[in-house]
Amino acid sequence: MSLTRVPRRRLVLGAAGAATYGALAWWSLEYRIRRAEVPLYSETVAFSAPGARELVPTGHTDAVVPGTRVLAGRPLSTMLVEDEQAWLEGCAPWVRTALDGGDDVLRSALLDLRALSVGLPACVAGWSERWRYAWPRDVSFVATALARTGHPDRAAEQLTFLQEVQRHDGWFEARYDLRTRRTPDERVAQLDGSAWVVWGAHQLAASAPDRAGELLTPLRQMLVRSAERLIASLDAKTLLPMASSDYWELVERSVTLGTAASVLAGLRSATEVLPLVGELALAARTAAAAASLATQVHGQFGSLGYPRMLDDSAADAAVTFLAAPIGGSGVDDGVLTAMGRAQVAMARPGGGVAPGVGWKDDGISWTPETALFAAAWAASGHPDRAEALLTWLGDHRTDAGSFPEKVLYDGRPAAVAPLAWTAALVVIARHELVHG
């Protein structure tokens, strides 16, 4: 972020005047930081032909058939709209009921997911150039959303891509280029990827229990490698996972709540899915590791109110990883209390939340973190809190109806749109509300 340079002026001030001028100058700098400006990169992404997509520039919503992710006035526009509608009608009964009832927020999330995934080896985070990659975390959440909306085979395809790119030692890169199937840059590998893929597999199995074995057996290699990696990541002294970059994508020198909580979710999920692929002995090991890690996470992080770091009191959106639907089906009052405090502490002027209290103070709300709270509240028996956040997310879509990554201090959508992680979480939250 760049700040406007204020021209220097020669001033003759007394001591009091100098102090006042200094205070005003600092206030001006702080004010501008809290009102950061980030442009909206696009209104949405829309199909121009089967498998062909184009970004819709900001302010050009007339280029899209209203209520769709299809470009208007193209030779195949009518067919593309029909294909899109057929996909929606092929969703699970709860989805069709919600859409028939006018749930426009859910419809937007589904169309965003479809636009970023159909016909691709895996879902990309966004269609803007720097986001046109597959993050294991995002793909796992998209697989979960697809499974919950009645598309288990499409969900399994998402996870199959991740199995194909996983390293032999169980690690995942931070993100992948769909064409080369390699990392596009020098970002460090992330331990949480090995956790999210197992969690996604567990969500798939839970959404299609009659087909769980059939769907997961082809993913056995990834499940085994990931489980072994998660177990090996636990430090013999602290009993917590090793330090690793998490969803903030920073190089960390000590373990974060985001890594610890996601690894815990992965180990618990592994305990549930490994028996489905014949790995009973490994499932027993993940169960023991999960029990030990849970004690440490709730003991060490919990005693401090679940901060991002053990040496810092700053709250983090990763506290939602310890609640359902990520952290398991039980309701932990201590976690819910910490969630409530974190949401307040991380609130931004636009109405959403930042990734954490320690994130830069720029006034920007992040939609995926806001949606994490919506999903957690929905799955934990607090529908009013979840609905309020989903309403806010719906109110801050682009004019074309897509969910942006960010919302500025004054409520304007900003940065990339659509964003797959946000869309997936909106679907998950709505599913939790319907089935709660």
Side-chain angles (χ1 to χ4, degrees):
M1 178 186 69
S2 61
L3 297 176
T4 303
R5 184 178 296 278
V6 180
R8 291 187 179 183
R9 297 178 180 176
R10 291 187 179 182
L11 296 176
V12 179
L13 300 172
T20 301
Y21 178 78
L24 287 173
W26 173 249
W27 177 87
S28 176
L29 175 63
E30 189 175 36
Y31 178 80
R32 280 177 285 161
I33 291 175
R34 290 179 178 174
R35 291 194 167 197
E37 290 287 339
V38 176
L40 178 64
Y41 304 150
S42 62
E43 293 285 354
T44 190
V45 59
F47 289 95
S48 57
R53 301 161 171 82
E54 295 180 19
L55 286 172
V56 178
T58 304
H60 290 269
T61 55
D62 57 339
V64 183
V65 177
T68 75
R69 300 295 181 269
V70 175
L71 291 174
R74 301 298 177 92
L76 299 177
S77 293
T78 299
M79 184 196 75
L80 293 171
V81 170
E82 292 173 350
D83 287 347
E84 187 178 83
Q85 184 59 34
W87 186 86
L88 290 173
E89 292 174 355
C91 288
W94 76 269
V95 174
R96 298 197 298 272
T97 299
L99 296 183
D100 289 343
D103 193 336
D104 189 52
V105 172
L106 176 62
R107 180 185 178 89
S108 286
L110 291 168
L111 293 183
D112 281 353
L113 286 182
R114 182 177 183 273
L116 293 172
S117 65
V118 71
L120 299 174
C123 187
V124 292
W127 202 247
S128 295
E129 185 176 359
R130 289 187 294 148
W131 282 262
R132 207 175 297 176
Y133 301 108
W135 273 258
R137 173 202 62 225
D138 296 358
V139 173
S140 299
F141 276 86
V142 168
T144 296
L146 290 173
R148 290 181 179 222
T149 54
H151 300 281
D153 292 296
R154 302 291 81 78
E157 289 174 2
Q158 299 289 317
L159 297 175
T160 297
F161 171 84
L162 294 177
Q163 176 168 257
E164 292 171 352
V165 299
Q166 186 181 30
R167 286 168 26 179
H168 293 296
D169 59 4
W171 282 90
F172 283 96
E173 304 296 344
R175 57 181 185 166
Y176 292 89
D177 186 314
L178 295 185
R179 295 166 299 177
T180 66
R181 301 201 167 200
R182 297 184 179 185
T183 179
D185 52 32
E186 298 301 319
R187 297 188 190 195
V188 297
Q190 294 183 202
L191 178 61
D192 63 355
S194 303
W196 290 127
V197 298
V198 183
W199 176 77
H202 183 206
Q203 293 292 304
L204 171 57
S207 297
D210 294 341
R211 299 182 59 200
E214 169 198 347
L215 292 167
L216 295 191
T217 296
L219 301 172
R220 176 182 169 277
Q221 175 182 278
M222 180 178 70
L223 297 176
V224 170
R225 286 177 174 175
S226 297
E228 294 282 8
R229 169 48 49 199
L230 296 178
I231 293 172
S233 75
L234 302 181
D235 185 272
K237 293 182 179 180
T238 66
L239 304 181
L240 291 170
M242 62 188 295
S244 173
S245 175
D246 64 6
Y247 77 105
W248 282 31
E249 296 187 34
L250 302 174
V251 176
E252 304 291 354
R253 297 185 181 278
S254 59
V255 65
T256 64
L257 179 63
T259 293
S262 60
V263 169
L264 177 57
L267 287 169
R268 285 173 166 168
S269 295
T271 302
E272 298 297 325
V273 299
L274 286 171
L276 299 176
V277 297
E279 294 289 341
L280 298 178
L282 184 55
R285 292 171 59 206
T286 58
S292 173
L293 180 55
T295 299
Q296 299 306 316
V297 169
H298 293 295
Q300 297 188 49
F301 283 95
S303 64
L304 302 172
Y306 298 101
R308 175 170 176 78
M309 301 278 196
L310 289 174
D311 59 356
D312 188 354
S313 62
D316 187 284
V319 67
T320 60
F321 299 172
L322 295 171
I326 297 172
S329 58
V331 176
D332 186 307
D333 290 337
V335 169
L336 297 185
T337 298
M339 276 175 45
R341 291 173 178 169
Q343 186 177 333
V344 171
M346 293 157 46
R348 289 295 169 94
V353 301
V357 170
W359 195 260
K360 55 187 175 183
D361 190 8
D362 55 7
I364 293 176
S365 301
W366 287 66
T367 62
E369 284 74 12
T370 304
L372 277 169
F373 278 94
W377 289 126
S380 301
H382 293 271
D384 292 344
R385 287 186 169 187
E387 288 283 9
L389 293 173
L390 289 174
T391 297
W392 180 86
L393 288 162
D395 290 344
H396 292 84
R397 288 170 290 173
T398 68
D399 289 341
S402 280
F403 293 96
E405 179 185 46
K406 302 174 184 178
V407 175
L408 302 184
Y409 66 93
D410 58 359
R412 285 173 291 152
V416 61
L419 191 73
W421 195 16
T422 300
L425 282 163
V426 168
V427 171
I428 293 167
R430 184 60 78 199
H431 180 257
E432 290 289 348
L433 286 171
V434 170
H435 292 84

PDB file of all heavy atoms in Angstrom, residues 95-103:
ATOM      1  N   VAL A  95     -30.915 -27.586  -1.537  1.00  0.00           N
ATOM      2  CA  VAL A  95     -30.488 -26.448  -2.349  1.00  0.00           C
ATOM      3  C   VAL A  95     -31.638 -25.959  -3.213  1.00  0.00           C
ATOM      4  O   VAL A  95     -31.921 -24.746  -3.276  1.00  0.00           O
ATOM      5  CB  VAL A  95     -29.286 -26.822  -3.231  1.00  0.00           C
ATOM      6  CG1 VAL A  95     -28.935 -25.671  -4.175  1.00  0.00           C
ATOM      7  CG2 VAL A  95     -28.087 -27.188  -2.374  1.00  0.00           C
ATOM      8  N   ARG A  96     -32.305 -26.882  -3.881  1.00  0.00           N
ATOM      9  CA  ARG A  96     -33.406 -26.487  -4.760  1.00  0.00           C
ATOM     10  C   ARG A  96     -34.519 -25.803  -3.968  1.00  0.00           C
ATOM     11  O   ARG A  96     -35.104 -24.825  -4.440  1.00  0.00           O
ATOM     12  CB  ARG A  96     -33.944 -27.723  -5.504  1.00  0.00           C
ATOM     13  CG  ARG A  96     -32.905 -28.389  -6.404  1.00  0.00           C
ATOM     14  CD  ARG A  96     -33.569 -29.320  -7.401  1.00  0.00           C
ATOM     15  NE  ARG A  96     -34.286 -30.411  -6.749  1.00  0.00           N
ATOM     16  CZ  ARG A  96     -33.750 -31.564  -6.405  1.00  0.00           C
ATOM     17  NH1 ARG A  96     -32.456 -31.789  -6.629  1.00  0.00           N
ATOM     18  NH2 ARG A  96     -34.469 -32.509  -5.825  1.00  0.00           N
ATOM     19  N   THR A  97     -34.789 -26.319  -2.770  1.00  0.00           N
ATOM     20  CA  THR A  97     -35.812 -25.689  -1.929  1.00  0.00           C
ATOM     21  C   THR A  97     -35.413 -24.269  -1.562  1.00  0.00           C
ATOM     22  O   THR A  97     -36.227 -23.340  -1.605  1.00  0.00           O
ATOM     23  CB  THR A  97     -36.027 -26.517  -0.654  1.00  0.00           C
ATOM     24  OG1 THR A  97     -36.485 -27.820  -1.006  1.00  0.00           O
ATOM     25  CG2 THR A  97     -37.049 -25.857   0.262  1.00  0.00           C
ATOM     26  N   ALA A  98     -34.147 -24.100  -1.192  1.00  0.00           N
ATOM     27  CA  ALA A  98     -33.663 -22.768  -0.810  1.00  0.00           C
ATOM     28  C   ALA A  98     -33.714 -21.810  -1.994  1.00  0.00           C
ATOM     29  O   ALA A  98     -34.126 -20.648  -1.849  1.00  0.00           O
ATOM     30  CB  ALA A  98     -32.241 -22.862  -0.260  1.00  0.00           C
ATOM     31  N   LEU A  99     -33.303 -22.276  -3.168  1.00  0.00           N
ATOM     32  CA  LEU A  99     -33.315 -21.407  -4.338  1.00  0.00           C
ATOM     33  C   LEU A  99     -34.737 -21.063  -4.758  1.00  0.00           C
ATOM     34  O   LEU A  99     -35.024 -19.919  -5.145  1.00  0.00           O
ATOM     35  CB  LEU A  99     -32.577 -22.078  -5.498  1.00  0.00           C
ATOM     36  CG  LEU A  99     -31.073 -22.334  -5.289  1.00  0.00           C
ATOM     37  CD1 LEU A  99     -30.464 -22.943  -6.547  1.00  0.00           C
ATOM     38  CD2 LEU A  99     -30.339 -21.056  -4.911  1.00  0.00           C
ATOM     39  N   ASP A 100     -35.645 -22.032  -4.662  1.00  0.00           N
ATOM     40  CA  ASP A 100     -37.051 -21.760  -4.975  1.00  0.00           C
ATOM     41  C   ASP A 100     -37.635 -20.739  -4.010  1.00  0.00           C
ATOM     42  O   ASP A 100     -38.554 -19.990  -4.361  1.00  0.00           O
ATOM     43  CB  ASP A 100     -37.880 -23.051  -4.918  1.00  0.00           C
ATOM     44  CG  ASP A 100     -37.562 -23.999  -6.072  1.00  0.00           C
ATOM     45  OD1 ASP A 100     -36.966 -23.542  -7.067  1.00  0.00           O
ATOM     46  OD2 ASP A 100     -37.900 -25.193  -5.962  1.00  0.00           O
ATOM     47  N   GLY A 101     -37.080 -20.708  -2.802  1.00  0.00           N
ATOM     48  CA  GLY A 101     -37.535 -19.745  -1.791  1.00  0.00           C
ATOM     49  C   GLY A 101     -36.872 -18.391  -1.916  1.00  0.00           C
ATOM     50  O   GLY A 101     -37.103 -17.501  -1.086  1.00  0.00           O
ATOM     51  N   GLY A 102     -36.042 -18.220  -2.946  1.00  0.00           N
ATOM     52  CA  GLY A 102     -35.439 -16.914  -3.187  1.00  0.00           C
ATOM     53  C   GLY A 102     -34.126 -16.655  -2.494  1.00  0.00           C
ATOM     54  O   GLY A 102     -33.759 -15.488  -2.266  1.00  0.00           O
ATOM     55  N   ASP A 103     -33.394 -17.713  -2.129  1.00  0.00           N
ATOM     56  CA  ASP A 103     -32.105 -17.528  -1.439  1.00  0.00           C
ATOM     57  C   ASP A 103     -31.050 -17.087  -2.449  1.00  0.00           C
ATOM     58  O   ASP A 103     -30.307 -17.885  -3.004  1.00  0.00           O
ATOM     59  CB  ASP A 103     -31.677 -18.837  -0.764  1.00  0.00           C
ATOM     60  CG  ASP A 103     -30.527 -18.641   0.223  1.00  0.00           C
ATOM     61  OD1 ASP A 103     -29.782 -17.652   0.063  1.00  0.00           O
ATOM     62  OD2 ASP A 103     -30.375 -19.465   1.128  1.00  0.00           O
TER      63      ASP A 103
END
